[in-house]
Amino acid sequence: MENNYDTMMAAKGFLPYKMGYLTDWMAKKAEEELNETEESRAQALTELRRLIAKERNLEIWTDDSYLLQFLRARKFDPERAMELIHNLYTMFKDNPDIYPKQLDTSIADTICEADAGGAFPYRHKDGGVVVFLKAANLDPDKISTQLAFLSAIAMLLSLAEDPATQVCGVHFVYSGEIKMSHIGLFRLRYLKLLSKVLRNTMPIRFNAIHIVNESPILRYVFNTFKIFLSEKIVNRIHFHGSDMKQLHQYIPKEILPPEYGGDNISYSAVEFCKKEIGPFIKKYSDMLQKGYI
């Protein structure tokens, strides 16, 4: 049964996190921004399958819905989509301590209970999903740096399954409070991995990255980290400090919970993760068993 918040969001025209289809205006957006038409889609799928078959020792899913994630992320350029596939599965292969072939799917509860990341139930007005990460909530005694990265990629790949997200992208909100116990997250290895995720590894369109409540340490780390990023990504990163009204100029406050000065007073990241992201872990496990042999 809908509560008052859901009724308000529906009345204001906000779309839900889980869509599974494209609205008419999203389909038009896909055509205008991503070069997607019935003809280009069919041609690109055929060519991408040919490139995958040609790739040595690569075994992945080749159904339309999976390949469209990569084609939409690269504006229906099959060669660039193939590069994205190569980079993703090479990342898995080169970092087996983070992305094991045999994934313990029971980690889903551990990930969700950490209350360190997820997505909000309603989309931005541009159709993009709004996701968040709170590294300060990660307990190093329960969640290692490797598991934190494994979890973050699981969240992003689960988002990429929805065609509405493939077309409209993702808005990222990062809470920048840093504890000394989290310094391991900022080792050079992980900064380089993160830069790859943001640049050319994930079938995700990153609309913007908003950093709030950032510590001086994070500012220092960012000045080092940005040398690994493209100018386009750097220009999409915004620091807001504790000024949530400034954040609301980019992300409607109706979407956000109170900790971000928002209106969604009943949001539970733990419950949302268990319901929406947790079930993806089994497919994630299957994905990690594929790739380069």
Side-chain angles (χ1 to χ4, degrees):
M1 184 174 181
E2 284 193 345
N3 57 32
N4 291 337
Y5 175 73
D6 292 324
T7 301
M8 178 194 76
M9 295 301 277
K12 290 188 175 185
F14 285 95
L15 293 170
Y17 156 85
K18 181 173 285 186
M19 295 279 293
Y21 68 95
L22 299 180
T23 64
D24 289 343
W25 66 263
M26 288 177 180
K28 185 175 182 181
K29 180 184 180 77
E31 181 176 358
E32 293 177 349
E33 296 184 12
L34 308 182
N35 307 313
E36 180 174 359
T37 63
E38 288 188 16
E39 182 179 5
S40 67
R41 186 166 54 241
Q43 291 176 349
L45 284 167
T46 297
E47 176 61 11
L48 183 53
R49 287 193 180 96
R50 187 190 71 80
L51 292 172
I52 291 169
K54 183 181 174 182
E55 186 78 356
R56 188 179 178 87
N57 298 325
L58 177 63
E59 179 185 338
I60 64 169
W61 296 302
T62 57
D63 56 279
D64 286 5
S65 62
Y66 187 63
L67 297 186
L68 281 171
Q69 296 180 29
F70 299 92
L71 287 168
R72 285 176 171 144
R74 289 299 175 263
K75 298 185 177 181
F76 282 83
D77 182 328
E79 291 188 357
R80 292 181 65 220
M82 185 66 230
E83 181 184 9
L84 200 59
I85 290 170
H86 169 80
N87 290 346
L88 176 63
Y89 284 95
T90 296
M91 181 179 73
F92 290 161
K93 182 181 180 182
D94 289 349
N95 299 278
D97 59 321
I98 300 177
Y99 310 106
K101 286 285 187 182
Q102 301 298 323
L103 179 64
D104 179 4
T105 56
S106 68
I107 65 168
D109 284 343
T110 302
I111 292 169
C112 292
E113 290 291 346
D115 189 20
F120 298 122
Y122 288 93
R123 292 174 175 267
H124 193 283
K125 284 292 190 178
D126 67 6
V129 167
V130 182
V131 303
F132 71 94
L133 180 64
K134 297 184 290 186
N137 282 13
L138 293 172
D139 181 349
D141 293 331
K142 295 180 180 179
I143 298 183
S144 64
T145 302
Q146 290 94 331
L147 181 55
F149 265 81
L150 174 82
S151 306
I153 299 304
M155 178 178 69
L156 290 173
L157 289 173
S158 72
L159 299 174
E161 295 216 304
D162 197 309
T165 306
Q166 294 163 20
V167 171
C168 298
V170 167
H171 299 264
F172 205 92
V173 179
Y174 178 74
S175 295
E177 305 96 331
I178 298 297
K179 298 177 181 177
M180 289 304 296
S181 58
H182 299 125
I183 293 300
L185 289 168
F186 301 105
R187 292 174 184 164
L188 185 59
R189 177 195 182 189
Y190 298 115
L191 290 177
K192 287 183 175 180
L193 276 175
L194 180 56
S195 73
K196 289 179 180 179
V197 169
L198 293 175
R199 283 184 301 153
N200 197 25
T201 303
M202 302 297 295
I204 290 281
R205 303 179 74 197
F206 290 100
N207 297 341
I209 299 169
H210 300 280
I211 302 175
V212 300
N213 297 324
E214 65 272 12
S215 67
I217 295 175
L218 185 66
R219 281 279 194 172
Y220 174 79
V221 170
F222 176 74
N223 286 331
T224 302
F225 172 57
K226 69 181 181 182
I227 67 174
F228 300 115
L229 301 176
S230 67
E231 183 179 357
K232 182 171 74 172
I233 289 294
V234 170
N235 290 338
R236 293 180 181 179
I237 297 176
H238 308 277
F239 287 87
H240 302 289
S242 59
D243 189 349
M244 297 306 161
K245 289 185 178 179
Q246 186 183 89
L247 175 65
H248 300 161
Q249 294 175 20
Y250 298 89
I251 307 291
K253 68 189 293 285
E254 292 94 335
I255 295 173
L256 302 167
E259 65 188 289
Y260 300 107
D263 296 334
N264 190 354
I265 61 174
S266 61
Y267 177 71
S268 166
V270 173
E271 293 306 314
F272 191 80
C273 177
K274 288 181 177 180
K275 178 182 176 182
E276 301 292 351
I277 298 175
F280 176 75
I281 296 297
K282 175 60 173 66
K283 184 170 183 178
Y284 190 33
S285 174
D286 294 342
M287 184 185 301
L288 292 177
Q289 293 179 40
K290 296 184 178 294
Y292 287 99
I293 302 170

